[in-house]
């Protein structure tokens, strides 16, 4: 069976920590059991909550052209973070005769495996929503405490990062200050 690999990371931190590399290494090791890897598809910096990802689109196009028989992905949430998207992709691949295998969770081709993948997909979606809620709540709390939480600052100001117990704040950028007739003006 000819295999394709799909891997994804969504954040800059995951990119910097090379977690996509560890996914690919594990997937390549598993692919040694197949007739070879047709193509590797990687989406770096794309949320699994979106369906419009460049590598995912290319993988789906290749599947439609019958370019491979098995798709290897590390786990269900690498394929999609939203259960509905995950179900859509898996159903599409199944209709095209592509067997999907997750290193964490196995194949998605029998009723029990499908149920487990549906459950883990729902849990991944819930987990993503909880992370977003915690992030929003923490940002709101810091803003209420007087901290500047946005990376955007007004023209003529610079953001001073949090340090030594002083919250992040904005200060006038000294290079922008000009004196005209004794008054200070921001340019």
């Amino acid at each position: 069976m000819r295999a394709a690999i799909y891997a994804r990371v969504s954040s800059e931190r995951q990119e910097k920590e090379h977690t996509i590399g560890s996914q690919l290494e594990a997937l390549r090791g598993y692919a040694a059991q197949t007739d070879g890897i047709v193509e590797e598809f990687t989406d770096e910096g794309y949320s699994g909550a979106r369906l419009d990802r460049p590598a995912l689109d290319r993988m789906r196009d290749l599947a439609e052209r019958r370019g491979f028989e098995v798709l290897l992905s590390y786990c269900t949430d690498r394929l999609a973070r939203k259960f509905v998207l995950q179900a859509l992709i898996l159903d599409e691949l199944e209709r095209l005769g592509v067997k999907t295998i997750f290193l964490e969770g196995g194949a998605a081709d029998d009723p029990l495996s499908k149920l487990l993948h549906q459950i883990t997909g729902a849990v991944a979606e819930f987990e993503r929503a909880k992370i977003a809620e915690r992030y929003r709540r923490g940002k709101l709390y810091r803003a209420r405490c007087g901290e500047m939480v946005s990376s955007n600052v007004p023209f003529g100001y610079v953001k001073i990062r949090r340090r030594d117990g002083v919250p992040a704040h904005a200060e006038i950028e000294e290079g922008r200050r000009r004196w005209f007739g004794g008054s200070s003006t921001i340019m």
Side-chain angles (χ1 to χ4, degrees), residues 28-98:
R28 289 172 187 145
Y30 188 92
Q33 303 170 29
T34 68
D35 293 336
I37 300 169
V38 173
E39 192 166 344
E40 293 181 1
F41 301 94
T42 58
D43 278 319
E44 296 187 59
Y46 287 89
S47 170
R50 299 177 55 160
L51 193 56
D52 59 334
R53 292 174 260 154
L56 180 67
D57 290 341
R58 288 193 315 276
M59 182 272 295
R60 291 170 69 198
D61 289 343
L62 185 59
E64 195 169 345
R65 294 190 310 269
R66 308 286 196 247
F68 59 97
E69 290 88 32
V70 64
L71 175 68
L72 304 174
S73 189
Y74 193 76
C75 58
T76 55
D77 67 355
R78 296 300 86 204
L79 191 59
R81 274 281 192 180
K82 285 190 172 185
F83 172 70
V84 173
L85 300 180
Q86 197 177 96
L88 181 129
I89 295 166
L90 290 173
D91 183 58
E92 177 183 329
L93 292 172
E94 187 178 339
R95 277 187 294 104
L96 296 170
V98 174

Side-chain angles (χ1 to χ4, degrees), residues 60-157:
R60 291 170 69 198
D61 289 343
L62 185 59
E64 195 169 345
R65 294 190 310 269
R66 308 286 196 247
F68 59 97
E69 290 88 32
V70 64
L71 175 68
L72 304 174
S73 189
Y74 193 76
C75 58
T76 55
D77 67 355
R78 296 300 86 204
L79 191 59
R81 274 281 192 180
K82 285 190 172 185
F83 172 70
V84 173
L85 300 180
Q86 197 177 96
L88 181 129
I89 295 166
L90 290 173
D91 183 58
E92 177 183 329
L93 292 172
E94 187 178 339
R95 277 187 294 104
L96 296 170
V98 174
K99 179 179 181 174
T100 305
I101 298 175
F102 299 103
L103 294 192
E104 287 185 354
D109 58 356
D110 65 77
L112 181 58
S113 293
K114 284 182 183 180
L115 175 63
L116 290 174
H117 291 301
Q118 290 170 354
I119 290 169
T120 56
V123 169
E125 186 173 347
F126 172 75
E127 182 181 65
R128 181 182 180 279
K130 290 300 291 180
I131 290 168
E133 170 58 23
R134 288 181 189 131
Y135 178 76
R136 185 200 64 77
R137 190 178 53 232
K139 203 169 175 180
L140 181 61
Y141 173 78
R142 291 192 336 264
R144 286 182 179 152
C145 290
E147 185 172 339
M148 181 175 200
V149 293
S150 173
S151 59
N152 299 324
V153 293
F155 181 74
Y157 288 79

